[in-house]
Amino acid sequence: MSDFKLNKTVMITGASAGIGKATAFKFAKEDYNLILTARRSELLDEICDSLQQNYGSHIYKMVLDVSDKDEVEKQINALPYEWKKIDILVNNAGLAVGLNPIQQGVIDDWERMIDTNVKGLLYVSRAIIPLMIENASGHIINIGSIAGREAYMNGNVYCGTKAAVDSITKGMRIDLLKHGIKVSLIEPGAVETEFSVVRFKGDQERADNVYKGFIPLKAEDIADAIYYVCSLPKHVNINDMLIVPTAQAAATIIDKNL
Ligand code: NDP
Ligand code: 8X3
């Protein structure tokens, strides 16, 4: 088992699947202590078991819906003292729900996206930032999207939430500058995870079609980029990184023969 005190601590939201899970494995390999959060407790248990067996990781499991403001505050306040020195926060939890023209939008879907991608990110950040300020250091990695740079057909509200993440990231960077806290935005293009299954509400065939005919990014590609951004010297920050599969030239321009 690695020594808690010597190692840095990373907190990852949405660590039960996809990019968050891959990021947990990447940082575990690098001997970080991990605070892993998501709603699906059983999946987190499986991941924690695997990380402990393979890397002897120190893990604090937090079953948490980031859109539940009171619960976020309560659970972060309840972190034991030794877990309150958080070096890196990866604000990854997020989702797209539905792909409809705006006039046929499902308001519950809109609310889930806004509550998770924007409000959830803010609730978690609001609870963690004072801890980082106390330590006069820290690094926040917000997971945006190519969808935050360019709106695409039927993407409307999802694109809007990721544009908000872009803007909030810039504001955070300005406000936290004098506290020595770095803030970075990672904006992936098409990554094959549970993302499209969630977007299409469990329609696996429709989700699989999104990634047919080209080589999409893997969650591990984004995890490697996150780790790279976090491992640069203190005087270097990457503000923003857009990462796409080679076959993707823009949000909806993908060469399906590559
Ligand atoms: P996945 O669906 O594979 O993973 C999403 C993760 O977010 C899961 O661990 C899920 O856990 C968690 N999550 C969702 N809602 C909540 C919530 N309310 N509270 C806590 N955790 C939550 O998708 P990705 O890994 O692809 O997505 C990760 C991030 O990357 C998202 O912000 C997404 O918008 C972004 N992104 C994805 C791209 C892609 O092409 N895949 C491209 C660009 C950005 P659980 O269900 O257990 O709570
Ligand atoms: C996920 C990428 O282009 O499907 O953010 O919206 S996209």
Side-chain angles (χ1 to χ4, degrees), residues 192-222:
E192 189 166 12
T193 60
E194 292 181 5
F195 177 84
S196 291
V197 185
V198 173
R199 168 171 258 175
F200 299 128
K201 303 179 181 179
D203 185 339
Q204 185 72 52
E205 201 181 332
R206 196 172 170 201
D208 289 345
N209 273 333
V210 173
Y211 308 106
K212 272 205 182 120
F214 74 107
I215 304 176
L217 295 173
K218 299 190 296 291
E220 289 74 16
D221 298 321
I222 304 303

Side-chain angles (χ1 to χ4, degrees), residues 145-147 152 158 189 195 199:
S145 169
I146 193 170
Y152 53 80
Y158 177 70
F195 177 84
R199 168 171 258 175

